[in-house]
Amino acid sequence: MATRALSLDAVSAFGADIREGLTKKGQKELASKYLYDELGSKLFETISLLPEYGLTRADERLLRRHSREIVERLPGDTMVAELGSGSGSKTRWILEAFGRRRHTSYCPIEISAAALAACRRELADIDAISIVGFEREYLEGLLEVAGRRRVGQRILVLFLGSTIGNFDHPADVKFLKEIRAILQAGDALLLGTDLEKPVEQLIAAYDDSLGVTAAFNLNLLARVNRELDADFALEEFEHEARFNAETSSIEMHLRARRDQRVTVAKAGFSVAIRAGETIWTETSHKYSLKEVGALAGKAGFLCEAQWVDGEWAFAETLMVAGT
Ligand code: AVI
């Protein structure tokens, strides 16, 4: 009964967000968090294997090469919390380095139970690591993790994969401030950020030749059809990746090929969409190194160290919570 009530709530929250995004004045939009249902998450995993999309491989390379140094910079008893662990495969390097030093708790925080289970399976073989998963929104989960810390124990928060870039500016600063508010001075944040790079490289990464990113984007409309009983005709929309030079972001849009009316039955509305009009589905900000430093400062962290990949412009920045 409780499960049923929860899922009905989730449907109505989803419906309310979709309604707000599609009926607002001006640019229509759908929140990027809804890209990640089961199919969307699999499509994102596939994107990370594409030759054009180097982001995930760069993140992984940096962690593989520098985990030992990252861990050496955080002496003493440290508990590791990860926001949005996904399958956990990138985190292996950090956890192995901590495990070589002493027994360490790892707390992945994920809204997807399936992702948490996958993460547990992937990392179960690492010595001296105990895994306690939290099926929660990021900040709610981090609060719970912080409530479990032992006296004298440090928390290292991992926020990898440049997920921070999917927050609108200045929501990225606000989010890091909220993380900082939960932490204590001396705690740390390891932040992965995708960096500025040539526009052609970015467009290829977000509009790949196999059409996987297009499928990832269009799946959002398919999800609205599946879960909210809507009647989007997918063939009437086209994936578009464009660079916004003002915000230094890649934006994903879905462009209507003709005038149409769409009904979203479970959210109780219908909406007219004009030919050529777009639905904005994601922002992916590309940072400069200077900007990452400024972001840390604004949120109350000090930059302790930074590593930049040589093949794909991507940075891992270790920040320490200031007093
Ligand atoms: C999860 N996030 C960092 C990805 C990105 O690059 O912004 C999501 C993505 N969207 C399209 N391709 C990948």
Side-chain angles (χ1 to χ4, degrees):
M1 194 66 195
T3 312
R4 188 176 149 74
L6 238 185
S7 71
L8 284 175
D9 276 358
V11 168
S12 58
F14 181 34
D17 283 355
I18 298 302
R19 182 183 184 125
E20 194 189 324
L22 291 182
T23 57
K24 71 198 265 287
K25 274 216 180 105
Q27 175 70 60
K28 292 182 170 45
E29 53 186 54
L30 294 175
S32 62
K33 66 178 176 183
Y34 293 121
L35 289 164
Y36 300 91
D37 65 346
E38 198 183 344
L39 181 54
S41 300
K42 292 271 182 247
L43 287 166
F44 176 62
E45 272 175 40
T46 310
I47 288 173
S48 67
L49 301 175
L50 295 171
E52 295 99 324
Y53 188 84
L55 188 158
T56 312
R57 287 185 295 278
D59 196 17
E60 217 158 337
R61 237 181 342 261
L62 288 170
L63 294 170
R64 194 174 62 228
R65 290 187 184 153
H66 303 290
S67 278
R68 188 202 286 221
E69 188 188 343
I70 293 168
V71 168
E72 279 168 2
R73 285 177 179 270
L74 301 169
D77 186 7
T78 303
M79 171 156 64
V80 181
E82 180 165 17
L83 308 181
S85 59
S87 73
S89 57
K90 281 181 290 189
T91 319
R92 162 171 295 277
W93 312 104
I94 294 271
L95 295 180
E96 284 182 347
F98 272 114
R100 278 193 290 273
R101 184 165 81 194
R102 65 190 293 161
H103 192 279
T104 302
S105 300
Y106 168 57
C107 305
I109 301 165
E110 258 292 340
I111 40 169
S112 152
L116 273 182
C119 168
R120 264 194 214 104
R121 278 195 305 274
E122 166 80 27
L123 302 173
D125 64 313
I126 306 179
D127 288 338
I129 295 293
S130 46
I131 306 178
V132 186
F134 290 81
E135 196 184 327
R136 297 275 185 281
E137 297 279 348
Y138 294 154
L139 296 174
E140 202 190 321
L142 187 58
L143 257 178
E144 279 193 47
V145 171
R148 289 175 160 232
R149 88 158 81 211
R150 290 192 297 266
V151 178
Q153 192 175 40
R154 182 205 306 274
I155 296 179
L156 165 65
V157 178
L158 305 176
F159 196 29
L160 306 173
S162 203
T163 304
I164 188 70
N166 297 134
F167 286 64
D168 287 340
H169 196 69
D172 51 357
V173 180
K174 181 172 172 276
F175 184 67
L176 293 194
K177 276 187 178 163
E178 284 168 330
I179 293 177
R180 171 64 192 90
I182 296 172
L183 299 179
Q184 293 176 1
D187 285 339
L189 169 67
L190 184 67
L191 184 71
T193 46
D194 203 22
L195 302 176
E196 295 169 332
K197 47 186 68 62
V199 173
E200 316 77 68
Q201 191 183 355
L202 286 172
I203 297 292
Y206 289 83
D207 194 4
D208 62 276
S209 49
L210 280 177
V212 184
T213 312
F216 174 64
N217 199 6
L218 281 163
N219 177 55
L220 182 43
L221 301 186
R223 179 180 183 182
V224 177
N225 285 351
R226 284 191 294 271
E227 295 182 25
L228 297 175
D229 202 8
D231 59 359
F232 277 107
L234 300 199
E235 65 283 6
E236 300 299 351
F237 288 87
E238 189 181 5
H239 166 69
E240 189 175 300
R242 53 167 105 137
F243 185 68
N244 182 331
E246 243 169 73
T247 59
S248 185
S249 304
I250 278 278
E251 294 177 2
M252 290 205 310
H253 289 254
L254 290 162
R255 182 177 292 282
R257 294 182 198 270
R258 61 168 178 85
D259 286 345
Q260 53 203 285
R261 174 160 284 277
V262 174
T263 301
V264 185
K266 284 194 182 160
F269 75 98
S270 72
V271 61
I273 305 177
R274 283 175 287 108
E277 193 178 1
T278 71
I279 304 173
W280 185 8
T281 53
E282 187 188 62
T283 294
S284 188
H285 184 64
K286 306 303 161 191
Y287 293 86
S288 67
L289 288 176
K290 202 171 147 205
E291 207 182 349
V292 177
L295 182 65
K298 282 184 204 156
F301 290 94
L302 303 165
C303 280
E304 159 81 17
Q306 190 167 60
W307 299 268
V308 178
D309 189 61
E311 281 177 51
W312 177 274
F314 187 95
E316 224 71 79
T317 308
L318 182 64
M319 308 174 180
V320 175
T323 41

